């Protein structure tokens, strides 16, 4: 069964450093998303992406964040200058029209 | 604004007993409703979804959910819980199959022997 994959599974970084989280969506899906889950809190929407552009973003998704689909398979989330409060589990999801399928997540720890 | 309320933070059920997890939503248009399950250290697995039609939907692992528009609810049920069902369960609402999702805070299910 096709699935969304994410790398790395765990990323540790120093405050102020740039990180790139990678995702490979399900191959025939056209909509892509990033969500995050701070420890003990609910899953929050960050951004959605369709047809090579951002279709919607939340207040969390400020200028420190960017997304890209650099080739036909990868979908990345970049955080330019990480803050302590960026520590969270980041989930990628993809969708056709029948619901969103999530990857296993990347746990980002900012020290 | 859309929102999802899961009133129970933790629920403990004996193995073999029935389960119902509550979910209430607020959404200005026709809601698309989802239940996801998250095992410790794992991602979110889609259990079932409701888009339209029959208000009782069947999902994977023996789960079902019933959409009740009059009560703005989408409760998840299972007739007989197994120890492997212990996990956190999230209800979510969106506008279409591909629109952004708003999640509830989750309900942690504990299964006792």
């Amino acid at each position: 069964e096709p699935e969304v994959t994410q790398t790395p599974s765990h990323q540790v970084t120093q405050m102020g450093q740039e990180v790139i989280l990678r995702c490979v969506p399900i191959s025939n899906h056209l909509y892509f998303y990033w969500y995050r889950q701070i420890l003990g809190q609910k899953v929050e929407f960050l951004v959605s992406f369709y047809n090579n552009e951002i279709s919607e973003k939340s207040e969390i998704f400020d200028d420190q964040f960017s997304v890209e689909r650099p080739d036909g398979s990868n979908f990345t989330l970049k955080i330019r200058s990480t803050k302590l409060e960026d520590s969270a589990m980041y989930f990628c999801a993809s969708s056709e029209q029948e619901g969103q399928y999530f990857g296993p997540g990347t746990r980002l720890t900012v020290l | 604004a859309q929102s999802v309320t899961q009133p129970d933070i933790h629920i403990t059920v004996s193995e073999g007993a029935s389960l119902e997890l509550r979910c209430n939503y607020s959404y200005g248009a026709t809601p698309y409703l989802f239940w996801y399950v998250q095992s410790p250290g794992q991602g979110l697995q889609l259990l079932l979804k409701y888009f339209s039609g029959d208000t009782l939907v069947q999902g994977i692992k023996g789960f079902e959910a019933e959409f009740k528009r009059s009560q703005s609810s989408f409760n998840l049920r299972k007739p007989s819980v197994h120890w492997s069902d212990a996990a956190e369960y999230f209800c979510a609402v969106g506008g279409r199959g591909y629109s952004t999702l708003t999640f509830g805070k989750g309900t942690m299910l504990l299964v006792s022997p």
Side-chain angles (χ1 to χ4, degrees):
Chain A
E1 184 177 330
E3 57 184 20
V4 178
T5 59
Q6 291 185 244
T7 55
S9 57
H10 193 182
Q11 173 96 42
V12 181
T13 189
Q14 295 291 325
M15 191 169 55
Q17 295 296 303
E18 174 184 288
V19 294
I20 297 176
L21 310 182
R22 291 182 168 78
C23 168
V24 179
I26 294 172
S27 61
N28 63 336
H29 286 184
L30 302 177
Y31 302 87
F32 314 116
Y33 315 81
W34 285 100
Y35 291 80
R36 79 172 184 190
Q37 184 183 31
I38 295 172
L39 189 64
Q41 298 186 26
K42 63 181 176 181
V43 178
E44 303 173 290
F45 167 73
L46 292 178
V47 65
S48 60
F49 193 85
Y50 171 71
N51 200 25
N52 283 320
E53 60 183 24
I54 290 173
S55 50
E56 190 174 351
K57 60 183 180 179
S58 71
E59 293 175 353
I60 303 167
F61 194 88
D62 61 23
D63 292 344
Q64 292 300 311
F65 292 88
S66 63
V67 289
E68 194 177 32
R69 186 154 164 84
D71 53 43
S73 60
N74 290 284
F75 179 52
T76 62
L77 174 70
K78 181 192 291 185
I79 309 175
R80 287 191 185 80
S81 178
T82 50
K83 308 182 188 72
L84 295 176
E85 54 265 37
D86 293 328
S87 294
M89 181 75 91
Y90 288 80
F91 292 106
C92 173
S94 71
S95 171
E96 203 178 34
Q97 292 197 33
E98 294 297 310
Q100 293 176 33
Y101 293 85
F102 284 74
T106 293
R107 179 165 298 285
L108 176 65
T109 302
V110 182
L111 302 176
Chain B
Q2 59 201 59
S3 66
V4 175
T5 302
Q6 293 180 248
D8 303 305
I9 298 173
H10 295 100
I11 280 186
T12 300
V13 174
S14 298
E15 190 168 16
S18 63
L19 168 72
E20 182 169 31
L21 302 183
R22 295 182 290 166
C23 171
N24 291 96
Y25 67 90
S26 173
Y27 195 77
T30 301
Y32 284 61
L33 294 154
F34 306 84
W35 275 99
Y36 287 87
V37 60
Q38 184 181 32
S39 298
Q42 303 297 311
L44 295 160
Q45 183 180 23
L46 180 63
L47 278 178
L48 48 76
K49 55 185 181 275
Y50 172 77
F51 287 179
S52 64
D54 192 347
T55 56
L56 184 64
V57 292
Q58 303 295 321
I60 62 171
K61 305 186 180 187
F63 285 92
E64 65 178 27
E66 186 170 13
F67 170 60
K68 292 186 178 179
R69 185 185 298 275
S70 62
Q71 298 176 19
S72 298
S73 70
F74 188 57
N75 294 347
L76 182 71
R77 302 195 293 247
K78 187 169 184 178
S80 177
V81 168
H82 188 261
W83 63 266
S84 60
D85 293 324
E88 190 156 22
Y89 291 79
F90 293 92
C91 182
V93 67
R96 292 171 297 234
Y98 49 85
S99 72
T100 62
L101 296 179
T102 297
F103 283 83
K105 291 187 176 180
T107 298
M108 181 66 73
L109 172 64
L110 305 172
V111 180
S112 62

